Amino acid sequence: MYCSQLPDHVGAVDATATWHLPAHDTSAGVARRHVRSFVRGRQCAAPAEDCTLIASELVANAIHHGAGPVWLTLRHLVHDDGSEALQLLVGDHGTGRGPITPVRDPAGGALRTSGRGLTIVDALSTAWGSTRIADGHVVWATVRLESRPDARGRATRHRRGLARRA
């Protein structure tokens, strides 16, 4: 689901990390490594491959369509209802092109070599969107995290060092 503004969330940000990346083709690979490391380090139940693919696509788009340098921020969110999400924000110093949408290619476009990135982001994320900010443009995606069974088979979410709000 696309939204033209930054998402609000109810709850707490458990962890945040930001990386600044040069506007270079290798930055998408660097972003994938950062996302994998963040997901492993937080031990959250994020679908790591989905998140790395989303980050890669958003960083590649920022490099191709925006103005560098590019930044990637990851947020591990814990909502008041106990659910969790991983939020990926990719920004650049370009002006953006207004609302963006995935390319819908009714003919299939089997021979195309680009243009599928936002369709992938749309398919893998819970919600995503873009907005202009004071000094650039941000595209974000949120991925809902899965709960994991505890030793007794009950669904639980793993948190390290998170102080629960009352």
Side-chain angles (χ1 to χ4, degrees):
M1 175 175 81
Y2 176 81
C3 180
S4 63
Q5 59 188 15
L6 288 172
D8 290 328
H9 66 276
V10 179
V13 176
D14 183 34
T16 300
T18 299
W19 300 272
H20 297 273
L21 307 167
H24 191 271
D25 291 340
T26 60
S27 290
V30 172
R32 287 190 298 271
R33 288 190 291 279
H34 287 313
V35 171
R36 279 189 202 101
S37 176
F38 184 87
V39 169
R40 278 192 221 118
R42 295 302 313 148
Q43 296 181 356
C44 53
E49 291 309 310
D50 290 356
C51 294
T52 58
L53 184 53
I54 290 168
S56 181
E57 294 296 340
L58 295 182
V59 167
N61 281 352
I63 291 167
H64 183 72
H65 299 291
V70 172
W71 52 266
L72 165 66
T73 296
L74 299 179
R75 294 180 183 156
H76 179 208
L77 306 175
V78 181
H79 301 286
D80 284 346
D81 66 1
S83 65
E84 296 179 57
L86 187 67
Q87 191 174 75
L88 301 92
L89 299 98
V90 174
D92 65 74
H93 297 282
T95 58
R97 297 185 295 176
I100 55 177
T101 57
V103 174
R104 304 286 185 217
D105 188 354
L111 299 178
R112 280 195 341 215
T113 58
S114 66
R116 294 184 183 99
L118 292 178
T119 302
I120 291 168
V121 171
D122 189 55
L124 296 177
S125 64
T126 307
W128 70 280
S130 68
T131 191
R132 291 185 183 161
I133 56 174
D135 60 346
H137 184 246
V138 175
V139 181
W140 58 270
T142 301
V143 177
R144 184 174 300 132
L145 304 186
E146 303 166 3
S147 56
R148 295 182 281 186
D150 66 9
R152 290 176 234 137
R154 295 181 302 205
T156 186
R157 289 168 179 83
H158 187 277
R159 290 175 188 72
R160 287 189 328 190
L162 175 65
R164 294 290 296 177
R165 292 180 6 173

